[in-house]
Amino acid sequence: MKVGIDSISLYTPNSYYGLRELAERHGVEPEKYLYGLGQEQMSVPAPDEDIVTMAANAAAEVVEDAGPDNVATVILATESGIDQSKSAGLFVHQLIGLPANCRVFELKQACYGATAGVQMACAMVRQRPQERVLVVASDIARYERGSQGECTQGAGAVAMLITADPRILEIHPEQGKHSADVMDFWRPNYRSTALVDGALSLDAYHDSLASAWADYRRDGGLSLGELPWLCFHQPFTKMARKAFNTLCELEPEAAASLSPASYEYSQHYGRRIGNCYTASLYIALQSLLETCEEDLAGQNVGFFSYGSGSVGEFFSGTIVAGYQDRLDPALTRAMLDGRQPLDETRYVNWFYGADHDVDAARHVLPVVTTGRYRLSGIIDHKRVYEDGAERLKQAV
Ligand code: CAA
């Protein structure tokens, strides 16, 4: 049975901060961020946006297209959780009108969480082929102000519907896995920004890729020469080039037939959005599918998912004929081009000032985002979301 991605939809907030401006503020040459790391902009969430609203905005597209019937499970992957107990997916489930006979839960393992969700969803569909599973990856990458990670911040969500006979990507059963206890990147419960050992995180990523690749091959996975397209977890787009070089060193003979074109299409969106942790790998996939002019039908894609801490997985898939009919590149382009640039004051206030963890009985948020779903406030410690203005009036 063929199982895989039947729909995919990306959402990113409607404001951004330029990396050139950030470099000036940090007193470094802009080329370091623009070319050294390969980042141009970072999407910045409005004060009334969070992982729930971004996830709902991404998932609404997918569910509107396919209809809510037979969505048997919602898996929300994030490392920017909004509650220690309740799954953020339950807010999304309600906002986008999914039926009650549906299981909803949240997954966490740094940037790897969505891949765990995709693999779990594939297994669920293999067991009950009539059912569909909605996997949503939603994250806000936030580091300490002035830290070396600040230039890799970003925000966004990707929603995917996993089904039998998928119309975008058939996911192969072969898997290569690698887990190791590494303190390369983490966020303790008492912090709103992540801590990172940058150099260790790069080494851990490469070690994980090498080990996951070897495991994928042992599991009967395709050779590098049979994978003309590659998507990597991209905390910054230069990382894809580094990962590609690692694979080429591991398989020098196959590498001769590969060129950087195999991963460059996957970088276009991430370069403008920034790191979105769990969503980054799937933003790379949507970027490849929507920006490559060639018809990719029938061609294989290799994926490397990396989540600090750390878990890595290499897997592959085949692009399905007619996949273009399931995508809307013009809509994605309009979303990216339509974003407003922020000045430094707004960037700092929005990225670091939005205090959603307030211990207040009543905290009402003005309308700022142009996204359909927004966080309208926190009332009696309960987060209140709305789909349009009417809802805020009713809730407050
Ligand atoms: N012109 C062009 N290039 C320049 C330049 C200039 N003027 N100045 C520097 N560069 C290049 C450097 O040569 C370097 O390129 P190479 O790596 O190819 O040599 C690149 O710019 C970056 O320079 P540095 O290594 O000096 O940068 P840094 O030490 O300040 O920080 C970082 C880099 C460690 C990635 C940091 O941004 C960071 O900590 N980021 C967050 C952690 C992260 O993303 N880690 C990635 C792996 S972990 C993961 O993937 C999970 C996750 O999502 C977090």
Side-chain angles (χ1 to χ4, degrees), residues 29 31-32 36 111 143 148 201 233 235 238 242 275 308:
E29 291 178 354
E31 289 72 22
K32 173 175 175 179
C111 310
Y143 295 86
Q148 61 174 184
S201 75
H233 167 57
K238 176 72 139 332
K242 290 174 181 285
N275 196 357
S308 291

Side-chain angles (χ1 to χ4, degrees), residues 51-52 55-56 74-78 82 86-96 98 102-107 134 136:
I51 55 147
V52 168
V74 176
I75 302 175
L76 193 141
T78 189
I82 46 135
K86 180 171 175 169
S87 163
L90 281 162
F91 294 108
V92 177
H93 168 269
Q94 192 273 334
L95 280 169
I96 64 174
L98 288 174
C102 179
R103 69 168 73 78
V104 182
F105 57 94
E106 188 171 308
L107 281 184
L134 177 65
V136 194

Side-chain angles (χ1 to χ4, degrees), residues 84 144 183 186-195 355 357:
Q84 289 283 31
E144 196 77 8
M183 290 305 283
W186 67 105
R187 183 168 68 83
N189 285 345
Y190 49 83
R191 288 183 64 100
S192 60
T193 53
L195 292 163
D355 189 0
D357 296 328

Side-chain angles (χ1 to χ4, degrees), residues 222-230 258-259 261-263 299-302:
L222 299 171
S223 68
L224 192 54
E226 294 169 295
L227 295 167
W229 304 102
L230 293 161
L258 289 176
S259 81
S262 64
Y263 65 84
Q299 300 197 40
N300 298 320
V301 188

